[in-house]
Amino acid sequence: LCLNDKFVALTGSNGIFFPNKPPAFHATCASYARFSAACQLAVLTLAHFDARSLAFLLVAETCWQLPPWPAASLFVSNHGVDESGAGVGGAEADRPTHSVYGPAWFDILCVAANYHTEHHDFPKVPLWRLPELRRLAGEDFYPPSPSWQEVLRGAFANRVTYERWERTAAAESSV
């Protein structure tokens, strides 16, 4: 994927993975890829062209993208719903976003981005303060979540959709 990003940055198209997407999608991908490449070049320059800095970025990006990585449960659980309409892994169905709570090591691993519902409720609160926010609000406001293992198992065992978004868009267009 890192090599694909460089290809997209140079060619302006992500046609390898998404050949049927509209030009605006490819333009957005190219903008992101160029920004990412510029940031990587800046890190390399600041590190006096020590290749270990790029190796760190490569490992960090690769680990974040791997599905078995516990933090990957964030990507499949934040907004998705399973076939029954419940959140991925059995999270409550009445919430538009879901958080995935775990032990302290999981919060550190996810850089507190696993507090997704709290982030949407209070977007100006820094990520590192979200665990404290949840603690202060209590379980009545932020009920317990399925474990990250259940979320990953649910994401790969069931069809995950973004059905709520589709219903909302359809309802708004009919008004």
Side-chain angles (χ1 to χ4, degrees):
L1 290 174
C2 295
L3 291 176
N4 182 63
D5 283 353
K6 304 312 177 273
F7 176 80
V8 171
L10 292 172
T11 65
S13 174
N14 198 357
I16 292 174
F17 288 109
F18 304 104
N20 299 324
K21 293 284 187 177
F25 173 84
H26 293 289
T28 301
C29 288
S31 295
Y32 163 78
R34 289 177 183 134
F35 177 76
S36 176
C39 289
Q40 291 171 4
L41 181 61
V43 168
L44 186 63
T45 303
L46 290 171
H48 303 289
F49 297 96
D50 184 349
R52 289 179 295 179
S53 62
L54 283 184
F56 171 79
L57 289 174
L58 174 66
V59 169
E61 184 176 358
T62 302
C63 288
W64 188 254
Q65 293 170 355
L66 291 174
W69 191 252
S73 62
L74 300 175
F75 298 113
V76 295
S77 68
N78 290 345
H79 299 283
V81 294
D82 64 18
E83 292 171 343
S84 70
V88 177
E92 292 186 26
D94 65 340
R95 299 214 174 230
T97 64
H98 304 285
S99 294
V100 181
Y101 306 121
W105 66 264
F106 187 72
D107 294 348
I108 292 167
L109 178 70
C110 298
V111 196
N114 51 319
Y115 291 87
H116 194 76
T117 304
E118 295 81 354
H119 160 71
H120 277 269
D121 290 346
F122 301 97
K124 292 186 177 184
V125 173
L127 285 175
W128 64 86
R129 305 269 328 259
L130 292 177
E132 179 185 359
L133 172 72
R134 178 179 184 252
R135 185 183 56 75
L136 292 171
E139 287 191 2
D140 289 336
F141 198 73
Y142 294 116
S145 73
S147 70
W148 63 266
Q149 298 98 325
E150 291 173 289
V151 171
L152 275 180
R153 193 174 308 113
F156 292 104
N158 302 311
R159 181 172 176 250
V160 177
T161 65
Y162 294 92
E163 187 175 318
R164 288 194 189 102
W165 291 356
E166 293 166 11
R167 277 200 307 259
T168 303
E172 288 174 359
S173 65
S174 65
V175 174

